Amino acid sequence: MSDTDAYVAANGTSHQEAADVIVGHANQYSFSYAGLCSDADAIKLADIISASTSNTNAFSESLRDYYQNYMQNRFSYFLGDIKCASNLTALKEGIYENMTSFLENIGLIKFLGGEPSTEAISACCNAFANYIYAEI
């Protein structure tokens, strides 16, 4: 999220314009397409591995199962993780609530996002919701 503040400072754009450029697009930023795919894949893979009955190859079988049967819907797995409905308003509210909750605020935002401004947090949550919604 601090990438958004830096982008605004360097380019003179609004926070929302910066977040829309960064989220899900440019690989030089922390919110890249590859990063979002990895996060979505991990959400579903954890579910598949947890449900596996294999005693020897749970991880490999789960990977194969995921890429054969589930990967094409990868961005929909964010909905279950965020615990929200599939409409854009619910997605925006769910993401913002998760990203600004007490534990997220003192933990992940400061650890991963530096010290982002309130405007950057809001813009990134909005851009993330718009991106997921467009993908599902």
Side-chain angles (χ1 to χ4, degrees):
M1 291 186 192
S2 59
D3 290 344
T4 304
D5 286 323
Y7 190 95
V8 168
N11 297 289
T13 65
S14 72
H15 281 86
Q16 192 58 62
E17 289 170 322
D20 290 342
V21 167
I22 291 169
V23 174
H25 301 287
N27 283 330
Q28 71 264 31
Y29 300 110
S30 58
F31 246 124
S32 69
Y33 173 75
L36 294 177
C37 287
S38 297
D39 292 345
D41 294 347
I43 290 166
K44 187 61 176 177
L45 275 168
D47 289 343
I48 296 170
I49 291 167
S50 294
S52 175
T53 57
S54 175
N55 292 326
T56 57
N57 299 312
F59 185 73
S60 342
E61 290 171 6
S62 296
L63 275 174
R64 183 178 54 244
D65 187 28
Y66 176 76
Y67 284 105
Q68 287 178 349
N69 300 307
Y70 297 100
M71 190 267 312
Q72 64 276 11
N73 297 316
R74 66 171 29 132
F75 289 102
S76 68
Y77 306 129
F78 281 114
L79 297 174
D81 194 54
I82 296 165
K83 297 175 181 62
C84 69
S86 60
N87 66 70
L88 184 56
T89 300
L91 192 53
K92 286 181 179 183
E93 290 170 357
I95 289 170
Y96 187 80
E97 182 179 314
N98 277 278
M99 293 306 293
T100 58
S101 69
F102 176 74
L103 292 176
E104 293 295 326
N105 200 21
I106 63 168
L108 288 179
I109 287 180
K110 292 188 189 313
F111 179 72
L112 298 174
E115 294 286 339
S117 66
T118 302
E119 295 86 1
I121 294 170
S122 180
C124 287
C125 290
N126 189 46
F128 186 35
N130 287 333
Y131 189 85
I132 292 171
Y133 187 74
E135 291 293 327
I136 59 173

